[in-house]
Amino acid sequence: MSDKKAETQALIDEVLEVYPEKAKADRKKHLGANDGEAGSCITANRKSLPGVMTARGCAYAGSKGVVWGPIKDMVHISHGPVGCGQYSRAGRRNYYTGYTGVNSFGTMNFTSDFQERDIVFGGDKKLATMVDEVEMLFPLAKGLSIQSECPVGLIGDDIEAVAKTKGAEIGKTIVPVRCEGFRGVSQSLGHHIANDTLRDYVLDKSEGKEVATTDYDVAIIGDYNIGGDAWSSRILLDEIGLRVVAQWSGDGTLPELENTPSVKLNLVHCYRSMNYICRHMEEKYGVPWMEYNLFGPTKCEESLRAIAAKFDEKIQAKAEEVIAGYKAQWQAVIDKYRPRLEGKKVMLYVGGLRPRHVIGAYEDLGMEIVGAGYEFGHNDDYSKTVPEVKDATLIYDDVTGYELEAFAEKLKPDLIGAGVKEKYIFQKMGIPFRQMHSWDYSGPYHGFDGFAIFARDMDMTLNNPCWDKLTPPWKSAKAAA
């Protein structure tokens, strides 16, 4: 074992020392020092320990909040009490075009607003009435999804029967999604459930649909257009000569989803939430897929070349032309911000893909990743992360609130990138923080244009004079000593 890895392991042992033996043994499996061997350093996708503070979400959040919610021309009904629908409404900043309440519905909250009587007598009739009201008030909606909340699964409402009956009556796609929050260990199962319903109620039912195609058709999969990310990515794909026919699902539409099996290549941004539907399309329709990463110029260039390599020489030549055309732009960004950010240490704790995808963008600015982990990652996510971070880097899965704070005190990062649940804790500790789920109300961060915004935001956060007024705990302790 190298000295650095031994040092990281000693840090883990020290932080775990406060736990009872059973909890210590369980949490030890989820923490490790990167050993450079894919898949060997972490255990993931397990139930969180009762009593610890986890940042995970639920299956409903994974389905409605991530996969289905951004599809803009459908009405997404949160079937259950009002809170879940309200909490998941518009919080992720899934940008879209269109007229809200007319032909786009992404920021609206449609809920069956369960009361005690609905728990006792069931909510099927209420749900059927709601579908009628939606059809009357919003006739341009292309379809509906029914996102079931926890009480619906407990009382046994037959949402499938309602969807089948009312769908036939109004002549539109109605998708029942069994994504009750208590299912699975995190929002990750919600992604999988949502993918399965997209397969069964959208793709399978649109088979045989005639679609005008070209040799350069692609679909963007798993980009939820947070802060306009998908638009920024689409610009580059258009510029190298590809035709984006569908976005899954940020700023996406139901007809786009139905057309996707006709594309030549599926481009997967968030592997964790959308790999299931890509594997299905590959197996059933023969559509190949590949991951791509447009965070930072280094990864942008790598991904554009890898994507172009799937097509002919015309696209490959155009990709090189586009890469060369942006070089002066991104080099100016690095020249401006790298001197101000060089050598700064970053800890990341996010969901989906970002703990590995954003590493390159930070490194382009001369910053160092000292810790990385996922809220709801699987083992293959960590296998993909291992090559992106240095040997002996601290890796953590479903890290508890206590552990993350303790690691921050020991590693002394200059910046933490995590979610809104962690944001105010670390800001109060005097540690610069970026909310890396929805870009802290900024963005886009994808593409060469997005890199300029990313660099500006990191500099603005780290070098803000407000931090001179706050003292991190390790500096307070040092002063007291």
Side-chain angles (χ1 to χ4, degrees), residues 71-312:
I71 301 171
K72 65 182 180 180
D73 63 348
M74 296 181 70
V75 166
H76 306 290
I77 296 174
S78 294
H79 188 38
V82 67
C84 299
Q86 181 62 20
Y87 185 72
S88 63
R89 181 192 68 87
R92 278 169 56 82
R93 303 174 62 246
N94 307 107
Y95 286 2
Y96 60 86
T97 56
Y99 297 94
T100 300
V102 180
N103 61 0
S104 299
F105 310 95
T107 54
M108 300 177 71
N109 179 16
F110 296 86
T111 175
S112 53
D113 188 21
F114 258 43
Q115 303 299 316
E116 186 176 348
R117 64 179 177 274
D118 300 311
I119 301 294
V120 176
F121 297 108
D124 288 353
K125 291 181 180 179
K126 191 174 191 179
L127 179 61
T129 300
M130 190 174 180
V131 173
D132 291 334
E133 291 177 353
V134 166
E135 178 62 11
M136 178 182 67
L137 294 170
F138 307 102
L140 296 185
K142 292 290 196 302
L144 300 88
S145 76
I146 301 167
Q147 308 286 326
S148 55
E149 300 172 17
C150 289
V152 172
L154 296 174
I155 66 176
D157 267 11
D158 193 350
I159 63 173
E160 289 82 6
V162 174
K164 184 177 181 179
T165 302
K166 301 308 293 185
E169 282 183 20
I170 67 176
K172 292 182 179 179
T173 298
I174 301 182
V175 183
V177 189
R178 285 284 180 186
C179 57
E180 295 89 357
F182 55 74
R183 294 178 180 268
V185 303
S186 71
Q187 56 263 62
S188 180
L189 182 61
H191 304 149
H192 201 157
I193 292 168
N195 278 229
D196 288 348
T197 53
L198 282 163
R199 175 197 65 205
D200 296 340
Y201 293 91
V202 177
L203 296 188
D204 286 359
K205 293 187 177 181
S206 62
E207 285 184 8
K209 179 181 179 182
E210 291 189 11
V211 181
T213 63
T214 74
D215 291 336
Y216 304 115
D217 290 352
V218 297
I220 294 175
I221 309 288
D223 191 328
Y224 304 106
N225 206 32
I226 294 171
D229 279 340
W231 295 336
S232 189
S233 300
R234 189 168 185 153
I235 288 170
L236 292 177
L237 297 173
D238 287 343
E239 287 179 343
I240 69 172
L242 300 178
R243 187 175 81 128
V244 179
V245 302
Q247 290 179 194
W248 290 56
S249 55
D251 196 36
T253 65
L254 182 59
E256 287 182 17
L257 305 184
E258 294 172 344
N259 293 344
T260 304
S262 67
V263 303
K264 300 301 183 288
L265 180 66
N266 279 327
L267 298 173
V268 183
H269 178 60
C270 182
Y271 168 86
R272 181 71 279 129
S273 61
M274 283 282 195
N275 75 89
Y276 317 102
I277 199 68
C278 291
R279 295 179 194 279
H280 168 72
M281 282 191 268
E282 184 175 44
E283 292 170 6
K284 186 165 186 176
Y285 307 110
V287 181
W289 60 278
M290 63 174 287
E291 290 187 69
Y292 71 104
N293 179 357
L294 296 181
F295 285 106
T298 298
K299 294 300 182 182
C300 280
E301 292 185 354
E302 287 179 8
S303 288
L304 289 176
R305 289 189 173 111
I307 292 168
K310 301 291 184 180
F311 295 90
D312 57 26

Side-chain angles (χ1 to χ4, degrees), residues 345-348 368-372 392-396 411-413:
K345 297 187 295 184
V346 183
M347 283 180 67
L348 297 171
E368 179 188 1
I369 305 301
V370 296
T393 298
L394 176 64
I395 305 290
Y396 33 80
L411 293 174
K412 301 178 174 53

